[in-house]
Amino acid sequence: MTVRSGLRWLAALGAAGGGFLALAQPASADEGGASVYLLGSGGPGTAIMPPVQGVFFANTLYYYSGEAGGDKQFPIGGSVVADLNATITADFATVLWVPTTDFAGGTLALGATLPVGDVDIDVSGVISGPAGGGLGVSRSDSAFVVGDPIVTALLGWNQGKYHLQVGAMVNVPIGDYRKDELANLAFHRWALDTSAAATWHDPESGWDISGKAGITFNGTNEHTDYNSGNDFHAELSVEKAFSDAFSAGVQLYHFQQISDDTGSGARLGAFKGKASGVGVTAAWNFKLAERPASLRLHAFTEFDVKNRLEGDSIFLDFSIPLVMKLPPAQ
């Protein structure tokens, strides 16, 4: 493994680590307006797999602020609300284990993520509550909570400048779900996200073009009897490395709910939504305690939004190897 390839993959791990997250971002029209998959996490180098066996750590600091006017209604925590404002400040820690670089001709990685953070929700109109009756004209809720853990598996291959990856992640509904409350990180439902990604990376020129697409299959929140519809997400990024230490580029994403919300808790019917986002990203590769490390910044703003909050997000990824099994020196 060369220094450049090792640092480059760590930058990719910072982006990929976000894709393991059970996320509080109001990014879809599912229950609570929240998707399991982090839009924007499929950034530069997203399909590049670890070049060596080992254990790696990735951490994402995340901030989101979004709002929807009084003419838009949302189902949250068993209530139907309007004129909604949400702010989420959260941390998502991921551990990734690479047991082999020769599984089905590629590299296998297994990981887990735990989200924790603060959620602030303000609504100016509560249309109905968990029991179905009107509750009032305004309500606020704030909580520091632990979300549902995510487990993930990735399998990837590379041939020269070309990289291909398939993956799956599962939201495990055992987090601190606050029943009948507005502020939550936990989804209280099973969910499976499947995805495929491709990267063209040219180390000599420094250009990286990456794309990722996937479908999230959502289960039912048994407490609210809300079965969120299935979601499609797609992303594209173009980045230029200006040195071994620094790179920067642009990212795009699109989200589309492809099946209806159902169940007695889905009081707004199908409630299918969509959203697109555009943003910038930059990475800094360095050494920490004699280990290669990476920081990556993402910043997005949303447009073409339907049945969801519209807002801005910024998140910072950090990644570093904990243990690496390096090949014998030649």
Side-chain angles (χ1 to χ4, degrees):
M1 177 180 66
T2 66
V3 172
R4 172 176 279 231
S5 67
L7 290 172
R8 184 65 191 177
W9 181 76
L10 283 170
L13 175 63
F20 306 154
L21 308 182
L23 181 69
Q25 178 188 10
S28 78
D30 303 315
E31 183 184 18
S35 69
V36 171
Y37 181 81
L38 170 55
L39 294 172
S41 62
T46 190
I48 300 177
M49 295 294 290
V52 296
Q53 298 176 45
V55 179
F56 303 84
F57 175 75
N59 193 81
T60 295
L61 294 173
Y62 179 82
Y63 175 82
Y64 176 86
S65 179
E67 62 182 9
D71 59 336
K72 298 180 181 179
Q73 298 180 6
F74 290 85
I76 298 181
S79 298
V80 176
V81 303
D83 198 3
L84 172 63
N85 291 270
T87 302
I88 298 104
T89 305
D91 183 84
F92 305 90
T94 298
V95 175
L96 189 73
W97 173 46
V98 180
T100 176
T101 56
D102 188 19
F103 182 87
T107 297
L108 175 67
L110 306 172
T113 296
L114 183 66
V116 297
D118 184 76
V119 182
D120 291 291
I121 304 289
D122 292 296
V123 297
S124 296
V126 179
I127 309 305
S128 65
L135 295 183
V137 295
S138 65
R139 186 179 171 193
S140 298
D141 189 26
S142 178
F144 185 86
V145 286
V146 178
D148 295 329
I150 284 281
V151 293
T152 190
L154 300 169
L155 181 60
W157 305 265
N158 77 284
Q159 184 64 46
K161 302 175 184 178
Y162 301 93
H163 304 260
L164 179 66
Q165 180 195 97
V166 293
M169 63 179 186
V170 177
N171 184 74
V172 183
I174 58 174
D176 180 19
Y177 178 70
R178 304 172 65 239
K179 295 181 178 180
D180 302 329
E181 300 293 342
L182 299 179
N184 270 300
L185 274 179
F187 294 98
H188 203 55
R189 67 174 185 260
W190 289 94
L192 167 67
D193 183 86
T194 58
S195 63
T199 292
W200 177 82
H201 175 67
D202 184 2
E204 294 184 1
S205 68
W207 284 103
D208 182 289
I209 302 174
S210 294
K212 187 175 184 179
I215 296 178
T216 305
F217 301 92
N218 289 300
T220 300
N221 181 335
E222 299 293 345
H223 176 68
T224 59
D225 191 29
Y226 198 115
N227 186 2
S228 297
N230 298 327
D231 308 325
F232 169 78
H233 54 86
E235 303 179 61
L236 177 67
S237 67
V238 179
E239 184 179 68
K240 167 70 173 178
F242 299 96
S243 68
D244 283 350
F246 179 76
S247 59
V250 296
Q251 292 186 242
L252 300 169
Y253 66 70
H254 179 70
F255 168 91
Q256 188 90 32
Q257 188 172 334
I258 57 177
S259 65
D260 297 347
D261 293 348
T262 58
S264 63
R267 301 177 189 173
L268 300 180
F271 202 56
K272 293 167 71 174
K274 65 176 182 178
S276 296
V278 60
V280 295
T281 185
W284 175 43
N285 304 315
F286 57 99
K287 283 196 172 184
L288 181 64
E290 301 304 316
R291 298 173 183 267
S294 178
L295 285 172
R296 175 175 289 281
L297 179 71
H298 310 257
F300 291 95
T301 189
E302 295 176 316
F303 62 95
D304 191 23
V305 174
K306 178 183 178 182
N307 285 345
R308 62 174 298 278
L309 298 185
E310 183 172 353
D312 302 305
S313 62
I314 183 168
F315 49 105
L316 181 67
D317 304 318
F318 168 75
S319 53
I320 192 170
L322 301 179
V323 178
M324 289 191 296
K325 184 178 179 180
L326 299 176
Q330 300 296 323

